[in-house]
Amino acid sequence: HFPFVHDATVAPPVVYFDYIIIGGGTAGCPLAATLSQNATVLVLERGGSPYGDSNITNVGNFGSTISDTSPHSASQIFISEDGVYNTRARVLGGGSAINAGFYSRAEPEFARDAGWDEDLVRRSYDWVESKVAFEPPVRQWQSAVRDGLVEIGVLPYNGFTYDHVQGTKIGGTIFDDQGRRHTAADLLGYANHRTIKVYLHATVSRILFTRRRWANPRAYGVVFEDALGIKKRAFLRPHPQNEVILTAGALGSPQLMMLSGIGPALHLKSHGIHLVLDQPNVGQGMADNPMNLLYVPSPVPVEISLIQVVGIPPGQNTYIETASGLSFAYSWAQGFALFHPLCFFSFQSGKPSSLTAETMAKAIDTVHAYANTSLKGGVILEKVKGPLSSGDLKLRSRSPRDNPSVTFNYFKDPQDLRGCVEGMRSIVNMINSPSFARLRYANLPVQALVDLMLNLPVNLRPRHVSSSISLEQFCIDTVMTIWHYHGGCQVGKVVDRDYRVVGVDGLRVIDGSTFLKSPGTNPQATVMMLGR
């Protein structure tokens, strides 16, 4: 829909720009639109366009996008070394094109800790929200969860707000009142059409550096491939302020740093990569907020809704959220059923998983039973704040198209596990509240919902007998991702407070890989704001 967006196959062999942005994602799009006001900007996006794809644009097709494993889908599946299914975006707009759409600002202390100008932060949020954020229509499922949270003491009730506030609130959404998704790519509407170029299906393989004696290496360009595999080059125009900027996300940015020679020296050497800078912190601090949930079938039809209501319980280390509707619930279940062939063998070691063929067949039968009897319902989930647990990212190969190996070490820190247990108790209390009673089967106890989750192949982790009676073990055994992973190029370790890569010139990283923790209940608003 933008005249400056083209497939990379039409790009010349060599191009020159003031700024080269690697990754047209949640941060890259607003960053490019902003820089284009006063400079020439090239955006290189490895995926395609989100426009015209109903799986991306339609709220009811969320599950179909997440579970699409085709080689050119907007969602690239990976499995962490923890045995948890996950995905990374491969599309213009990044994660905002495949996520559940919840829009909420970071807590005020997040901006203060980052050293950001608070007035500039507010104005940047406003700039983003004028194009992509909306107040959602709150219908019966979401309102029942809202009332249940208030009833169990998640107070005060704050109504609709984009702000991060303790208690229960209705947050924003990037879906409009017609159920159409508005991604970070929409922010390119702010761009100066004469000074920006966006190439799709442009996979950057490495950043180029000059080597000068007694001076830091300096980024001066990139090598990228189009969809036909033809290598092309983009160079910075000669000016001391011109830069290459990595906005490839929490997996892509540390991965591309390593592929370009910046990372732990021994690890790069093992892959035959020429060392530009020995930086052991690249790939470190990888964290993913653990998510655990219960699926609750309903005796009455409920609306299709993604995340709208959020509970921030006082004194707890967790957030409570919900989504509903047969299309969502069934797609969600199909998404896990889709992976069942992988459950026979561990992705990392090739050893048999504890999820046997019999267990998986039972889980899939359960999913189909719910669908065939036309049960309606939704999921109620908790997300651990922070988190404190973290791991690392390593290369598997020298191909930028391959997923790196990533470990998140879910619940390694006991405080994260306590947060999950607190959150699950809040969910149980909410389900048992009078406000929620009409949307659940009276003869279906919470224990049955727990047992259902234990029989679904939601991950590749082993199941323990105690999981059905111990919330601690339930959290460990059924942990999933809420796709809020971050780290790998963290501020103070890999980049400075202005997001310049320490030890080299002409290179910055501006995305969730720089975060020390996940902002607020959902990071996308803050990542878009950061790009601006």
Side-chain angles (χ1 to χ4, degrees), residues 299-491:
V300 298
V302 296
E303 75 275 14
I304 294 174
S305 68
L306 294 179
I307 309 301
Q308 297 176 359
V309 170
V310 61
I312 305 176
Q316 290 191 17
N317 194 33
T318 188
Y319 306 130
I320 311 298
E321 302 175 3
T322 188
S324 67
L326 179 62
S327 295
F328 173 80
Y330 190 39
S331 294
W332 165 81
Q334 278 183 316
F336 297 123
L338 171 73
F339 293 112
H340 74 272
L342 296 178
C343 296
F344 288 106
F345 295 94
S346 163
F347 185 78
Q348 300 84 1
S349 62
K351 297 177 182 177
S353 162
S354 65
L355 291 173
T356 64
E358 181 181 358
T359 302
M360 289 182 292
K362 181 179 177 182
I364 293 166
D365 286 345
T366 302
V367 169
H368 285 291
Y370 279 132
N372 292 338
T373 56
S374 297
L375 288 179
K376 314 299 190 291
V379 294
I380 305 172
L381 63 92
E382 64 78 30
K383 163 192 168 178
V384 174
K385 190 165 75 170
L388 296 177
S389 306
S390 67
D392 59 22
L393 177 147
K394 294 183 173 68
L395 297 177
R396 289 189 188 278
S397 75
R398 292 178 61 171
S399 171
R401 291 184 170 85
D402 291 344
N403 286 320
S405 165
V406 60
T407 304
F408 295 118
N409 288 325
Y410 298 104
F411 303 124
K412 183 178 180 180
D413 191 292
Q415 188 169 323
D416 291 341
L417 186 57
R418 286 195 294 272
C420 178
V421 171
E422 290 170 348
M424 291 307 301
R425 285 179 180 148
S426 294
I427 288 174
V428 170
N429 291 338
M430 199 288 303
I431 291 172
N432 286 329
S433 68
S435 295
F436 194 73
R438 65 188 177 86
L439 295 185
R440 62 169 294 201
Y441 286 91
N443 61 349
L444 190 65
V446 171
Q447 186 61 51
L449 306 179
V450 170
D451 292 341
L452 168 62
M453 291 306 304
L454 290 170
N455 279 298
L456 283 174
V458 297
N459 59 36
L460 294 174
R461 294 162 77 88
R463 300 293 186 269
H464 297 82
V465 175
S466 60
S467 297
S468 63
I469 57 173
S470 164
L471 282 178
E472 286 86 353
Q473 198 62 56
F474 176 86
C475 287
I476 293 169
D477 288 1
T478 66
V479 65
M480 288 172 274
T481 183
I482 196 168
W483 308 291
H484 296 172
Y485 51 86
H486 51 279
C489 297
Q490 291 179 312
V491 169

Side-chain angles (χ1 to χ4, degrees), residues 164-176:
H164 183 94
V165 285
Q166 182 178 290
T168 298
K169 74 163 190 170
I170 309 298
T173 179
I174 59 173
F175 290 96
D176 64 22

Side-chain angles (χ1 to χ4, degrees), residues 63-313:
S64 301
T65 303
I66 289 293
S67 59
D68 185 356
T69 58
S70 60
H72 302 294
S73 68
S75 172
Q76 183 177 356
I77 305 297
F78 71 96
I79 305 174
S80 72
E81 302 296 328
D82 315 273
V84 174
Y85 304 121
N86 214 316
T87 190
R88 56 194 293 212
R90 182 170 47 193
V91 61
L92 188 68
S96 69
I98 65 172
N99 65 15
F102 191 63
Y103 184 97
S104 185
R105 298 180 177 188
E107 59 272 37
E109 57 268 28
F110 190 93
R112 287 196 292 269
D113 291 346
W116 295 337
D117 179 315
E118 293 185 46
D119 180 62
L120 180 58
V121 166
R122 179 189 55 76
R123 288 187 283 115
S124 297
Y125 276 128
D126 290 343
W127 182 87
V128 170
E129 288 154 12
S130 66
K131 274 200 185 291
V132 304
F134 306 89
E135 180 177 355
V138 179
R139 301 191 173 99
Q140 59 178 344
W141 179 275
Q142 293 282 340
S143 62
V145 172
R146 174 198 65 198
D147 295 345
L149 287 170
V150 170
E151 189 175 329
I152 66 170
V154 183
L155 297 168
Y157 175 58
N158 299 292
F160 167 72
T161 179
Y162 292 139
D163 292 332
H164 183 94
V165 285
Q166 182 178 290
T168 298
K169 74 163 190 170
I170 309 298
T173 179
I174 59 173
F175 290 96
D176 64 22
D177 58 5
Q178 301 299 311
R180 291 187 299 256
R181 181 190 295 270
H182 294 261
T183 76
D186 289 19
L187 299 173
L188 290 172
Y190 284 120
N192 182 339
H193 293 197
R194 297 184 300 276
T195 60
I196 187 172
K197 188 77 72 177
V198 178
Y199 287 131
L200 304 178
H201 305 113
T203 303
V204 174
S205 55
R206 62 192 172 98
I207 302 165
L208 302 171
F209 295 93
T210 59
R211 298 303 301 269
R212 297 168 296 169
R213 196 173 184 182
W214 313 121
N216 288 338
R218 184 175 191 87
Y220 71 92
V222 302
V223 178
F224 66 98
E225 289 185 7
D226 64 19
L228 301 177
I230 298 174
K231 281 192 163 98
K232 303 181 179 185
R233 283 170 170 75
F235 296 114
L236 294 176
R237 287 176 171 161
H239 191 283
Q241 287 187 309
N242 293 352
E243 294 178 333
V244 174
I245 306 175
L246 259 174
T247 58
L251 261 63
S253 289
Q255 179 186 22
L256 196 51
M257 290 268 278
M258 291 184 189
L259 291 174
S260 303
I262 301 176
L266 291 178
H267 180 57
L268 300 190
K269 183 179 179 181
S270 71
H271 285 276
I273 296 171
H274 174 72
L275 185 68
V276 173
L277 177 69
D278 181 11
Q279 173 45 284
N281 289 316
V282 173
Q284 297 300 306
M286 296 299 300
D288 187 24
N289 301 80
M291 178 183 77
N292 292 78
L293 57 79
L294 293 178
Y295 170 66
V296 185
S298 173
V300 298
V302 296
E303 75 275 14
I304 294 174
S305 68
L306 294 179
I307 309 301
Q308 297 176 359
V309 170
V310 61
I312 305 176

